[in-house]
Amino acid sequence: MNLLSEQAVTSADKTFFLLRKDIVEGGIASGAKLSETELSTKYAVSRAVIREAINRLESCRLVERKANIGARVVALSPQGLIELYEVREALEGMAARLAARNMTEQEITALNDLLNQHFQEVKGGESYYQEAGDVDFHYRIIQGSKNRHLINMLTNGIYHLVRMYRVQLGMAGPRVTTAFDEHRHIVKAISNRDEELAEMLMRRHITYSRINIEQKLATDAGNRREQA
């Protein structure tokens, strides 16, 4: 399944999905200025279609507009990370608690099966890339909360901005196997219907992820200063 059962009904939808994927995965760099003319050529659509896509990306918090500058891809910054992950920790912790209460046995089995599939990728210890939607561990737990308001806040609100940090800075390196082990412990707590433990482990997991990304941002900033 695609994220939220998304289907590209129109050319505008397809362009929006492609542009969003390119931004999240770094094909269009964070902080980059978005030119309607250049993007309309790249995606072979009209400027009106690009304009609509940019407006939708702004509502996803992936694009911001500034006076005299225009539309830019949001920059990945330490302060932005902290603010985003404070919210993510609270909301996804709640999602894990509710998932322990509300997921069916079949859904929990499917979640374990998903982790077993992920293990084939992480056993090499270099990458833990997860596509958006049902094959994303965090997305499954968000959906498993069965709370429509929480699901909307996380999937329509901050999901793709969180993925931008995760994909570009958090899905590779020495933390890969540790993150996978943390996922295992979270699923075990959900399987045991231990709501309090599931929430605590998820909040701790997201805190560790934030610290890891903060360190990478600091390293990148240091490298840029040395090259200047």
Side-chain angles (χ1 to χ4, degrees):
M1 290 176 61
N2 291 327
L3 181 63
L4 295 180
S5 299
E6 289 178 330
Q7 294 181 344
V9 177
T10 65
S11 172
D13 290 334
K14 183 178 180 181
T15 302
F16 167 64
F17 296 150
L18 287 172
L19 192 52
R20 185 179 67 188
K21 187 174 191 292
D22 285 346
I23 288 173
V24 167
E25 299 190 353
I28 299 175
S30 65
K33 190 176 187 304
L34 296 176
S35 162
E36 289 181 8
T37 303
E38 291 176 8
L39 292 173
S40 66
T41 300
K42 177 178 179 179
Y43 294 99
V45 294
S46 69
R47 289 181 62 180
V49 168
I50 292 297
R51 194 174 304 119
E52 179 185 335
I54 289 173
N55 288 337
R56 291 170 70 180
L57 289 165
E58 190 175 6
S59 70
C60 294
R61 298 169 177 79
L62 295 178
V63 167
E64 56 189 7
R65 294 182 188 274
K66 293 187 177 179
N68 303 320
I69 296 176
R72 285 185 180 275
V73 176
V74 67
L76 301 182
S77 68
Q79 186 58 36
L81 170 74
I82 290 168
E83 292 179 3
L84 178 65
Y85 270 58
E86 284 174 345
V87 173
R88 184 188 176 202
E89 180 189 325
L91 294 181
E92 286 202 38
M94 186 188 304
R97 171 183 284 273
L98 293 174
R101 181 188 309 169
N102 296 326
M103 287 183 85
T104 65
E105 291 300 325
Q106 184 178 9
E107 287 168 337
I108 292 172
T109 297
L111 188 59
N112 275 291
D113 290 343
L114 178 67
L115 276 191
N116 289 334
Q117 293 170 24
H118 287 176
F119 178 69
Q120 299 306 312
E121 182 176 351
V122 303
K123 62 184 178 182
E126 295 180 3
S127 174
Y128 191 178
Y129 176 77
Q130 300 167 66
E131 290 280 356
D134 278 358
V135 291
D136 179 356
F137 171 81
H138 289 270
Y139 179 81
R140 283 278 187 99
I141 290 177
I142 291 165
Q143 293 293 325
S145 73
K146 308 290 177 74
N147 183 302
R148 288 177 299 129
H149 297 293
L150 183 60
I151 291 168
N152 184 57
M153 281 190 284
L154 282 166
T155 56
N156 290 333
I158 64 173
Y159 181 76
H160 291 286
L161 182 56
V162 167
R163 268 188 62 76
M164 191 172 169
Y165 278 95
R166 287 173 63 202
V167 171
Q168 295 189 33
L169 295 163
M171 288 187 177
R175 190 176 142 68
V176 163
T177 51
T178 306
F180 178 79
D181 288 340
E182 290 165 9
H183 285 181
R184 281 265 191 227
H185 290 307
I186 291 166
V187 173
K188 185 175 181 180
I190 291 172
S191 301
N192 291 335
R193 306 293 184 182
D194 191 331
E195 299 176 23
E196 185 175 349
L197 182 60
E199 178 174 11
M200 184 194 76
L201 291 174
M202 180 62 83
R203 292 183 70 121
R204 185 182 295 169
H205 168 65
I206 291 170
T207 296
Y208 292 158
S209 296
R210 174 183 57 77
I211 292 169
N212 177 58
I213 294 173
E214 271 187 286
Q215 291 171 344
K216 289 188 177 181
L217 283 169
T219 299
D220 289 348
N223 290 338
R224 285 195 297 271
R225 283 195 295 271
E226 288 177 5
Q227 292 169 4

